[in-house]
Amino acid sequence: MTASRARAAGLVLGFVADRVLGDPQRFHPVAGFGRAAAALERCTYADRRAAGVLHVAVLVGGSAVAGVLTQATARRRGPVAETLVVAGCTWAVLGGRSREREALAVHDHLAADDLPAARQRVTHLVGRDPSVLDAGGVARATVESVAENTSDAVVAPLVAGAAAGVPGLLAYRAANTLDAMVGHRTPRLERFGWAAARLDDLLNLVPARLSAAIAALAAPLVGGSPAAAVRAWARDARHHPSPNAGPVEAAFAGALGVQLGGVNVYFGRTEDRHTLGDGRPVAQADAARATRLALLVDVGALLSCVLVPRLLRRRRR
């Protein structure tokens, strides 16, 4: 087995492990990284971009170096060891199954007309103020989170793993975690979090558009239209404040035949994300439809990451 085949096999096994097991329940390495990042922040924080660049360089660079050493050690022990290491790292950094569980839990509360429980559970997915959300608002927040996290938590790690193996997997998850921790436009983090936010934007440019393209192709499997998905993507994505969430959410809106975006209320902050799609308002059942579409995108991305490099290698021969 070659190194490229070991990498591909590891990505597949890690993806299956995530689907079957979800996130590790104890000693999650991403949680451990978050604690280390928070501890380092107490030393590196300053209200300057340079301090944020240093913070990101140490943590993302350190993760990449750890990945290089881990992969090299496994490779010396043979292709089976390398496959298992790639699989374990893939499982650790993917978040598809957990995303689905949380979204379906919100869906179940809405189906039972338990709005307080749905409001509380949706806080596991989004940072919005749940007290201002009605049932439609909770459903919309769930669909938008499923769409964005399909790219962030599944497609992007797979692309990074296909491109750079274990170093890519670990460096991507480190960058994405730092963006979630410090990449916010708040007075305290406006400058310090700039590097984390910009690096995450850069790393997600390709995965977000791959996610949007697969969502458009898969639209008929959830009762939608590829043309509507492409139209919403082309017309509405550029109005979204995020360069990467915009294409994915717009494509999901068109594929599901719903309208996403609009005004979101966070704690102490209001943000207008423009209207995405020209369908009907989001309903309770759309949360479950969104998880089905997300799974189709996940599988499509996995196949792309495994098969496309192999086809490119064959063409070079």
Side-chain angles (χ1 to χ4, degrees), residues 253-265:
L256 296 170
V258 300
Q259 191 175 92
L260 299 177
V263 176
N264 293 337
V265 179

Side-chain angles (χ1 to χ4, degrees), residues 7-291:
R7 181 181 299 179
L11 289 174
V12 172
L13 289 175
F15 181 89
V16 171
D18 177 64
R19 292 303 311 169
V20 173
L21 303 172
D23 286 337
Q25 295 301 306
R26 299 181 63 187
F27 309 113
H28 197 306
V30 176
F33 173 84
R35 289 191 292 270
L40 181 63
E41 184 184 336
R42 290 192 285 271
C43 301
T44 57
Y45 176 80
D47 190 19
R48 299 191 303 273
R49 284 186 175 183
V53 170
L54 174 64
H55 186 70
V56 170
V58 169
L59 290 165
V60 177
S63 298
V65 169
V68 169
L69 297 175
T70 300
Q71 184 166 275
T73 301
R75 186 167 292 171
R76 286 195 295 269
R77 296 181 179 179
V80 173
E82 184 174 359
T83 297
L84 293 177
V85 167
V86 173
C89 292
T90 302
W91 173 41
V93 305
L94 293 186
R97 182 59 175 151
S98 297
R99 169 209 64 201
E100 182 179 274
R101 286 173 177 166
E102 291 297 334
L104 291 177
V106 175
H107 168 272
D108 291 345
H109 288 312
L110 290 175
D113 291 326
D114 191 346
L115 181 57
R119 283 172 168 167
Q120 190 282 325
R121 195 61 182 258
V122 82
T123 60
H124 297 188
L125 293 170
V126 298
R128 301 173 201 180
D129 181 356
S131 67
V132 302
L133 298 176
D134 58 11
V138 171
R140 177 170 70 84
T142 303
V143 172
E144 290 169 354
S145 176
V146 167
E148 182 175 3
N149 282 288
T150 295
S151 178
D152 286 356
V154 180
V155 179
L158 289 174
V159 170
V166 173
L169 288 164
L170 299 188
Y172 171 77
R173 181 47 66 205
N176 186 249
T177 302
L178 288 177
D179 178 57
M181 294 180 70
V182 302
H184 305 290
R185 292 182 177 178
T186 64
R188 179 178 182 273
L189 298 173
E190 180 73 31
R191 283 175 283 274
F192 181 76
W194 173 85
R198 296 293 77 76
L199 178 60
D200 186 70
D201 285 345
L202 177 64
L203 293 177
N204 278 286
L205 280 174
V206 171
R209 284 143 188 86
L210 176 61
S211 301
I214 299 173
L217 291 173
L221 299 177
V222 291
S225 162
V230 172
R231 182 169 62 250
W233 176 8
R235 184 190 64 206
D236 301 330
R238 66 182 181 274
H239 300 294
H240 195 285
S242 167
N244 297 317
V248 184
E249 290 185 24
F252 265 66
L256 296 170
V258 300
Q259 191 175 92
L260 299 177
V263 176
N264 293 337
V265 179
Y266 300 88
F267 295 93
R269 178 169 59 93
T270 300
E271 187 175 281
D272 186 354
R273 296 195 167 193
H274 193 71
T275 298
L276 307 173
D278 47 18
R280 57 175 172 75
V282 180
Q284 163 259 319
D286 293 316
R289 292 179 65 222
T291 63

